[in-house]
Amino acid sequence: MTIIEAKNVSFSFGETPALRGASIAVDQGEILAIMGPSGSGKSTLLHCLAGILVPDSGEVLFGGARIDAMPETSRSSLRRDRFGFVFQFGQLVPELTSVENVALPLLLSGVRRKQALDKAYAWFERLGLDGLEHRRSGELSGGQAQRVALARGLVAGPEVLFADEPTGALDSLTGEQVMDLLVAAAREQGTTVILVTHEPRVAAYADREVIVRDGRVNAPDRIAS
Ligand code: ADP
């Protein structure tokens, strides 16, 4: 069953076309890797699917509803309540401790502080982060910070997790550990994952991969033929 879909989506940054009629449908619970060369439109596609960018033309549907036609306030609620995000450089809030960073999406959704922190603490053991709860991001290694970012992306039980080069700043062993945790947690929660990467060994964790070239989506076998 399709949970999220882009239909013939085009988007330009001023004069620069980033997407030129991109279409993709992602199944509920699927882990999808979006591959392709740098500048091909992968991040722009992810941002359109997540309702961060609104396409110039085409449609984006989540659960059958047109999110590209929603006002920004509705898209922002959707991102807060039903989507999770992990970016290349963690983007933790430096003033907050790790556990406060993980609790943040819950606090923003109106969950009480005690309950939000209790939920956040539970992720530390699960992700091998025991003892790091009260450190700030400047006191974490890259791999630790990215695991904290992963916990923050998953803590609210999102329906879709958007991950943009989540291992791009990590060495390969650390990257594999982060991907193992991401995939295990997503499968356990039934979370759909849309993962942008240019690394085949990261894409290998996905159920399916597609390739973006020149702002359009191709299945790999169609590229080869
Ligand atoms: P990828 O994720 O595959 O590297 P992007 O989606 O980031 O590709 O970019 C697609 C195209 O849009 C590229 O030509 C890029 O230079 C351009 N682009 C991306 N972001 C911006 C921006 N904020 N302003 C102007 N051009 C942009």
Side-chain angles (χ1 to χ4, degrees), residues 177-198:
Q177 288 166 350
V178 167
M179 281 309 299
D180 280 332
L181 293 166
L182 188 159
V183 167
R187 294 244 191 261
E188 202 174 302
Q189 300 194 161
T191 307
T192 304
V193 178
I194 303 180
L195 166 76
V196 162
T197 182
H198 62 274

Side-chain angles (χ1 to χ4, degrees), residues 109-129:
S109 289
V111 175
R112 286 178 185 279
R113 186 173 167 84
K114 163 96 174 62
Q115 201 187 340
L117 287 173
D118 283 350
K119 272 200 159 176
Y121 276 116
W123 280 88
F124 281 74
E125 185 181 358
R126 186 169 179 190
L127 296 187
L129 295 167

Side-chain angles (χ1 to χ4, degrees), residues 13 16-18 37-45 196:
F13 291 98
T16 310
S38 179
S40 58
K42 303 183 294 295
S43 294
T44 307
L45 177 59
V196 162

Side-chain angles (χ1 to χ4, degrees), residues 34-40 42 165 197-199 210-213:
I34 301 178
M35 303 267 297
S38 179
S40 58
K42 303 183 294 295
E165 300 278 10
T197 182
H198 62 274
E199 297 175 79
V210 294
I211 297 180
V212 175
R213 278 186 205 278

Side-chain angles (χ1 to χ4, degrees), residues 11 19 27 46 48 60 64 77 142 146 162 191 196 208 213 224:
F11 184 89
L19 295 176
D27 281 343
L46 189 87
C48 285
V60 179
S77 312
Q146 205 55 336
F162 293 94
T191 307
V196 162
R208 176 167 67 109
R213 278 186 205 278

Side-chain angles (χ1 to χ4, degrees), residues 26-65:
V26 188
D27 281 343
Q28 158 79 53
E30 185 175 32
I31 298 180
L32 175 81
I34 301 178
M35 303 267 297
S38 179
S40 58
K42 303 183 294 295
S43 294
T44 307
L45 177 59
L46 189 87
H47 292 155
C48 285
L49 286 167
I52 296 168
L53 292 175
V54 175
D56 300 328
S57 62
E59 298 181 359
V60 179
L61 296 107
F62 171 63

